[in-house]
């Protein structure tokens, strides 16, 4: 079974990763990571912040390969900023199997197993990988 | 109604002092701070008993650190407070001291920055705020991402960023208070270790310890205490803003642009009037981003202007003549006060080997994680 490393940020049951965001009913702001307490654009109350699901897909805004880091994961690893199709820019992990990223490149998230918990579940997080443009 | 600093009574920096920025060591913060304060008092030619209030910019040492330090100058009972605003803590301490004097609540106030890198804490955990990367994206990766984006937008190269560190190392080598005092070549700067993205070690600020102090006074104090008016540098404006939601636009740039515009506007000048600028160059990419955001050159042309020497000492506008955060260092609390010390030195014409010729107007800029931005404009005595 798949469980989320951070259940407040994504739904591990979805076939391909789907992110948990919020949309402000007052100003329309789509926030990822999802925001609680009050909207960071207009200050609307928490009741106005509707949970929504957004596809973990978009284009690379920027990327950086990290060479110096204390703790997990071992270096090098890549951090990406993705302009999601639903609007916000999300910062996430690049797929370790990817051969580098370039600005404007189309990406989508896949599941990566971070570890296996005591119950034998796969603890997963989404990592972004390049995908082919779908041409119609 | 909101009013600018210039609507209140004039305020001046009349005394500056520093403890050299250095690698973390055994020196107590109290000794670092008192060294800088004694320097500032001697520079102003006044006594500790003349100081009526104290603001201590600090972020990484410990709570309630002020009195344990100031007591070594004599316990005069003055009001004192710690000012924490991340990297902009010292700048904010200067701002608070300037406001108190400008408002007429005191004639003599001191802004001190002091820190040892002992406690770095961030609020996200306490806020329950998570993102997909957590601690895997350190500040240097934030700026590596900005560098990647900037290269895409402008065609800049990794060598262009490295040139910032080359220039600032040259300036820092002339500054006895700098943590890094070695002139570095382009090859030195590009040499591994690679830290994140295009950033190498010498393109990242060294976090150390140190102290800086600036004495801020009114006209009345200059008169009453017999302070040398010819060395008094006026604080023409003080602006501070915090991050808004920019929908993907680089927030460090947007915040710098808005805060600098406010500071220049309230000082009644434009970017072309600046002779010296000290800015938050914790990472090389920041200098290129901020000189454009400040209007010191056209957008996308910072690398070109840098390469042609426009930001050198002796160039059109000297950027980070102290060596900046890259070479002078970034002990956190002291950094913003240290910038005021450098601008004051430059506007007095006392910069020695690193003096920008005929410097009349200077600007000090810090951003603090969170994010906040603080900008001061200073003018030399008439």
């Amino acid at each position: 079974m798949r469980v989320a490393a951070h259940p407040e940020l994504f739904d591990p049951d979805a076939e391909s990763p789907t992110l948990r965001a919020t949309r402000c009913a007052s100003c329309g702001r789509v926030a990822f990571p999802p925001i609680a307490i009050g909207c960071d654009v207009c200050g609307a109350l928490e009741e106005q912040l509707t949970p929504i699901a957004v596809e973990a897909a978009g284009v690379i805004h920027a990327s950086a390969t990290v060479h110096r880091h204390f703790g997990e994961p071992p270096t090098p690893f890549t951090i990406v900023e993705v302009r999601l199709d639903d609007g916000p820019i999300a910062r996430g992990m690049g797929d370790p199997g990817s051969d580098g990223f370039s600005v404007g490149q189309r990406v989508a998230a896949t599941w990566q197993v971070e570890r296996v918990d005591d119950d034998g579940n796969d603890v997963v997080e989404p990592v972004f990988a390049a995908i082919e443009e779908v041409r119609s | 109604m909101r009013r600018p600093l210039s609507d209140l009574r004039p305020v001046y920096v009349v005394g500056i002092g520093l403890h050299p920025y250095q690698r973390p060591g055994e020196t107590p913060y109290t000794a670092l701070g008192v060294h800088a304060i004694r320097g500032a008092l001697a520079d102003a030619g006044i006594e500790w008993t003349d100081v009526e209030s104290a603001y201590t910019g600090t972020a990484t040492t410990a709570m309630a650190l002020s009195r344990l330090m100031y007591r070594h100058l004599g316990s005069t009972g003055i009001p004192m407070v710690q000012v924490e605003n991340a990297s902009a803590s010292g700048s904010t301490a200067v701002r608070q001291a300037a406001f108190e004097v400008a408002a007429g609540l005191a004639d003599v106030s001191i802004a001190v920055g002091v820190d040892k890198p002992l406690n770095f804490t961030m609020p996200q955990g306490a806020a329950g705020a998570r993102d997909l990367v957590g601690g895997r994206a350190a500040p240097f990766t934030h700026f590596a991402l900005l560098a990647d984006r900037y290269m895409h937008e402008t065609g800049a190269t990794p060598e262009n960023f490295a040139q910032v560190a080359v220039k600032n190392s040259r300036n820092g080598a002339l500054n006895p208070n700098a943590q890094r005092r070695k002139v570095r070549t382009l090859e030195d700067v590009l040499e591994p270790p690679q830290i994140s993205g295009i950033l190498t070690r010498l393109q990242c600020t060294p976090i150390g310890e140190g102290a800086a102090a600036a004495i801020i006074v009114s006209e009345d104090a200059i008169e009453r205490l017999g302070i040398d008016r010819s060395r008094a540098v006026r604080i023409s404006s003080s602006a501070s803003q915090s991050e808004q939601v920019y929908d993907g636009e680089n927030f460090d740039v947007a915040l710098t642009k808005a805060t600098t515009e406010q500071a220049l506007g309230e000082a009644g000048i434009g970017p072309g009037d600046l002779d010296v600028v000290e800015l938050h160059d914790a990472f090389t990419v920041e200098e290129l981003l901020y000189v454009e955001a400040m209007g010191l050159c056209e957008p996308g042309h910072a690398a070109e202007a840098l390469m042609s020497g426009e930001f050198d000492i002796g160039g059109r506008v000297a950027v980070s003549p102290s060596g900046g955060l890259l070479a002078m260092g970034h002990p956190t609390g002291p950094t913003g006060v240290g910038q005021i010390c450098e601008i004051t030195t430059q506007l007095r014409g006392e910069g020695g080997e690193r003096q920008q010729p005929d410097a009349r107007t200077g600007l000090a800029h810090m951003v603090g994680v969170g994010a906040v931005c603080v900008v001061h404009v200073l003018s030399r005595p008439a």
Side-chain angles (χ1 to χ4, degrees):
Chain A
M1 190 180 154
R2 225 164 30 211
V3 297
H6 303 302
E8 66 275 39
L9 297 178
F10 49 86
D11 171 15
D13 294 331
E15 184 59 28
S16 54
T18 305
L19 303 175
R20 299 187 200 277
T22 46
R23 176 179 282 118
C24 175
S26 177
C27 73
R29 152 88 160 157
V30 175
F32 180 79
I35 193 163
I37 305 173
C39 175
D40 62 346
V41 169
C42 71
L45 299 179
E46 184 158 345
E47 300 82 73
Q48 302 285 308
L49 304 172
T50 314
I52 59 168
V54 299
E55 288 297 315
V59 295
I60 293 287
H61 181 78
S63 69
T65 299
V66 179
H67 300 277
R68 181 66 64 92
H69 180 69
F70 301 103
E72 291 296 318
T75 57
F77 58 84
T78 302
I79 304 283
V80 294
E81 283 182 338
V82 178
R83 167 70 80 177
L84 299 173
D85 294 337
D86 288 299
I89 290 179
R91 200 172 268 188
M93 301 299 289
D95 181 352
S98 288
D99 186 24
F101 294 91
S102 56
V103 175
Q105 190 176 24
R106 181 129 196 95
V107 292
T110 59
W111 291 122
Q112 174 171 269
V113 178
E114 207 180 53
R115 59 188 164 85
V116 176
D117 71 12
D118 293 342
D119 299 324
N121 298 315
D122 287 343
V123 180
V124 295
E125 70 170 344
V127 296
F128 288 90
I131 55 167
E132 292 294 323
E133 289 278 6
V134 178
R135 298 185 195 282
S136 55
Chain B
M1 193 183 79
R2 247 182 70 175
R3 298 168 69 188
L5 186 65
S6 55
D7 269 13
L8 307 178
R9 66 176 184 164
V11 291
Y12 301 88
V13 179
V14 296
I16 55 171
L18 286 144
H19 186 288
Y21 298 172
Q22 60 193 21
R23 293 167 81 110
E26 298 303 313
T27 315
Y29 82 86
T30 43
L32 299 172
V34 169
H35 180 93
I37 297 164
R38 285 182 176 144
L41 291 167
D43 183 49
I46 66 171
E47 303 295 327
W48 175 244
T49 48
D50 296 321
V51 177
E52 296 161 337
S53 67
Y55 292 87
T56 316
T58 179
T60 65
T61 308
M63 68 180 276
L65 58 63
S66 287
R67 188 176 175 278
L68 204 59
M69 172 176 70
Y70 294 118
R71 66 178 177 152
H72 294 292
L73 297 148
S75 297
T76 57
I78 59 170
M80 51 184 64
V81 66
Q82 292 73 235
V83 180
E84 189 276 303
N85 214 3
S87 290
S89 296
S91 315
T92 308
V94 168
R95 183 172 153 82
Q96 297 306 119
F99 286 173
E100 184 168 347
V101 174
L105 302 173
D107 275 329
V108 181
S109 185
I110 191 165
V112 177
V114 66
D115 256 329
K116 292 175 76 71
L118 300 174
N119 298 301
F120 285 89
T121 56
M122 297 296 282
Q124 279 78 8
R130 274 190 190 284
D131 63 19
L132 290 174
V133 295
R136 293 174 290 193
F140 49 70
T141 294
H142 170 73
F143 289 101
L145 289 162
L146 295 188
D148 186 53
R149 186 73 198 173
Y150 184 80
M151 288 192 289
H152 171 75
E153 288 174 354
T154 66
T157 65
E159 289 73 20
N160 292 148
F161 298 116
Q163 284 291 353
V164 172
V166 172
K167 170 180 69 72
N168 292 355
S169 77
R170 206 161 51 227
N171 296 350
L174 302 172
N175 183 353
N177 293 306
Q179 184 168 338
R180 285 179 175 156
R181 297 210 55 201
K182 203 168 168 186
V183 177
R184 304 288 188 167
T185 64
L186 185 61
E187 292 68 33
D188 293 337
V189 174
L190 289 170
E191 204 170 280
Q194 204 78 20
I195 304 296
S196 186
I198 57 94
L199 296 172
T200 52
R201 184 179 70 86
L202 289 175
Q203 298 188 64
C204 305
T205 182
I207 298 293
E209 63 183 25
I215 296 170
I216 295 168
V217 306
S218 64
E219 296 264 7
D220 289 351
I222 291 175
E223 196 68 33
R224 177 166 54 83
L225 299 171
I227 293 168
D228 181 355
R229 186 177 291 275
S230 72
R231 295 176 72 245
V233 167
R234 178 151 183 201
I235 302 179
S236 304
S237 67
S238 173
S240 182
Q241 296 192 22
S242 60
E243 182 183 337
Q244 299 178 50
V245 175
Y246 302 105
D247 191 31
E249 190 188 350
N250 177 330
F251 69 79
D252 301 279
V253 164
L255 191 49
T256 291
K257 187 169 190 292
T259 313
T260 304
E261 271 174 9
Q262 183 191 343
L264 291 173
E266 291 182 3
I269 61 169
D273 297 313
L274 294 170
D275 303 302
V276 283
V277 169
E278 288 282 323
L279 54 75
H280 182 277
D281 61 334
F283 302 93
T284 49
V285 56
E286 290 185 88
E287 181 166 313
L288 300 188
L289 292 170
Y290 299 150
V291 292
E292 292 177 11
M294 289 175 179
L296 299 178
C297 68
E298 291 297 313
H301 289 269
E304 193 184 308
L306 171 74
M307 298 299 286
S308 65
E310 292 184 37
F311 304 137
D312 287 353
I313 294 169
R316 182 164 57 83
V317 46
V319 176
S320 297
S322 70
L325 280 62
L326 284 167
M328 184 168 176
H330 184 23
T332 315
T335 313
V337 184
Q339 290 183 328
I340 298 296
C341 294
E342 178 66 16
I343 301 278
T344 298
T345 300
Q346 292 282 338
L347 301 185
R348 285 170 166 177
E350 297 174 355
E353 288 180 289
R354 64 177 197 283
Q355 177 65 45
Q356 170 71 351
D358 199 31
R360 308 185 65 82
T361 309
L363 179 145
H365 156 274
M366 285 295 283
V367 289
V369 68
V372 296
C373 183
V374 181
V375 177
H376 286 99
V377 173
L378 282 75
S379 325
R380 94 169 175 195

